[in-house]
Amino acid sequence: MRIFIAIVISLCVLPSGAWSQTPRKEEAIRIMRSGAQPSRQGSVENFTGSVRVDPLFQTNAPARASGSLVAFEPGARTAWHTHPLGQILIVTAGTGRVQRWGDPVEEIHQGDVVWIPRGQKHWHGAAPNSSMAHIAIVEQLDGKTVDWMEKVSDAQYGALVNVQGTSTDARAKPRPSQGPIGDFDPKLAELTDDVLYGDVWERPELSKRDRSLVTVAALIALNRPEQLRSHLIKARENGVTQEELIETITHLAFYRGWPNAVDAIKVAKEVLQKK
């Protein structure tokens, strides 16, 4: 009997942590490794164009949120849809479009964060001449995260782009070349804006991101630092990363010489540090 009592007392005085040396599985940290979850193509019922969906994390009760990385090729977009508890979009690359039913279209860029309120009919996707990727985060309500509706037709998509291009904000902005050369040579400014930016840069054969890379590379090769300055800014707006721009300068040092690369890196450092 004395032995039994001694065992009971010793168990009672053990530290409480001794009973939980191994954490429960649901309380352990989990790491979802990059590439561990398979990608899938956006369904033809709910998307137009080429769309890739990479799951990032799933709902884990009692939490309700889930997230995916969604990549749109130029011109690709979702159908109209709503979310019972809203949605957050974090643009990670490129240029895109988003619109709520009845509102003008909004252009979105890398680094922008979009909040879509619950129950609001909307669509989002890439710009016509640029790919776009965003992280989409939604919450479940009664097991549902989205209600899909009709597709955004080609006519709607084209009309929406025109609305964005002629919105009140866009009209308030000066033409791109007006400041640098418009006051001194209005005709050259008009040709630059209408032919170069209005026609060549809008052609669908190359995305604006790729056109920016080509232009930046050409200006580095020609050692045109002043023009390079504005095109580095434009390249960042078109989805080219700082790392890609630096690597472009490094690569061209072997083709166009160290002096061109050094001049270019000075301009890039000034421009990119301001961003």
Side-chain angles (χ1 to χ4, degrees):
M1 184 65 180
R2 291 180 180 176
I3 295 176
F4 175 75
I5 293 173
I7 293 173
V8 171
I9 293 173
S10 64
L11 290 174
C12 290
V13 298
L14 280 173
S16 59
W19 296 101
S20 56
Q21 293 298 315
T22 303
R24 290 182 297 173
K25 184 177 180 180
E26 61 270 21
E27 294 177 348
I29 292 175
R30 289 185 294 165
I31 300 175
M32 282 69 77
R33 299 294 181 185
S34 176
Q37 303 182 82
S39 301
R40 60 180 175 84
Q41 289 296 312
S43 67
V44 295
E45 293 82 9
N46 301 325
F47 295 90
T48 297
S50 179
V51 180
R52 189 185 76 251
V53 181
D54 291 293
L56 296 178
F57 60 93
Q58 303 301 317
T59 302
N60 186 19
R64 298 183 297 188
S66 60
S68 298
L69 174 63
V70 188
F72 299 81
E73 290 300 312
R77 67 268 188 186
T78 70
W80 292 99
H81 59 289
T82 64
H83 300 282
L85 292 177
Q87 182 181 49
I88 294 175
L89 305 176
I90 305 171
V91 184
T92 59
T95 301
R97 303 283 188 270
V98 62
Q99 186 200 24
R100 185 180 73 155
W101 183 267
D103 288 349
V105 72
E106 296 284 348
E107 188 168 79
I108 52 179
H109 301 274
Q110 181 181 11
D112 290 344
V113 178
V114 183
W115 162 244
I116 299 156
R118 64 181 184 178
Q120 297 298 311
K121 183 176 180 179
H122 68 286
W123 69 271
H124 41 96
N129 302 305
S130 173
S131 59
M132 188 272 289
H134 63 53
I135 295 173
I137 302 173
V138 294
E139 291 186 276
Q140 284 189 5
L141 180 63
D142 298 327
K144 180 182 290 187
T145 60
V146 60
D147 285 303
W148 290 105
M149 302 175 183
E150 74 276 13
K151 285 190 174 184
V152 179
S153 68
D154 290 341
Q156 286 178 312
Y157 184 70
L160 291 169
V161 172
N162 291 333
V163 169
Q164 193 279 333
T166 57
S167 66
T168 301
D169 290 341
R171 287 196 301 269
K173 295 179 181 178
R175 294 162 66 93
S177 299
Q178 187 62 39
I181 59 177
D183 293 339
F184 193 74
D185 191 340
K187 186 61 180 179
L188 180 58
E190 178 185 339
L191 291 171
T192 301
D193 293 333
D194 292 345
V195 179
L196 178 60
Y197 292 118
D199 181 13
V200 176
W201 275 80
E202 296 300 327
R203 290 166 61 83
E205 287 78 9
L206 284 176
S207 69
K208 288 185 178 180
R209 177 189 178 281
D210 292 343
R211 289 189 189 278
S212 279
L213 273 176
V214 171
T215 305
V216 166
L219 293 173
I220 294 169
L222 294 169
N223 200 11
R224 301 289 190 269
E226 289 306 314
Q227 290 179 297
L228 177 62
R229 189 183 312 275
S230 63
H231 277 281
L232 285 171
I233 296 172
K234 190 176 186 65
R236 295 290 284 121
E237 293 173 351
N238 288 338
V240 184
T241 67
Q242 176 173 317
E243 292 73 17
E244 289 171 329
L245 291 170
I246 293 173
E247 184 63 23
T248 298
I249 296 172
T250 304
H251 188 74
L252 283 169
F254 289 88
Y255 291 93
R256 294 301 301 171
W258 254 252
N260 285 18
V262 170
D263 288 344
I265 207 69
K266 289 178 181 177
V267 175
K269 183 178 180 181
E270 176 188 338
V271 170
L272 298 176
Q273 284 185 340
K274 287 182 179 180
K275 301 297 285 185

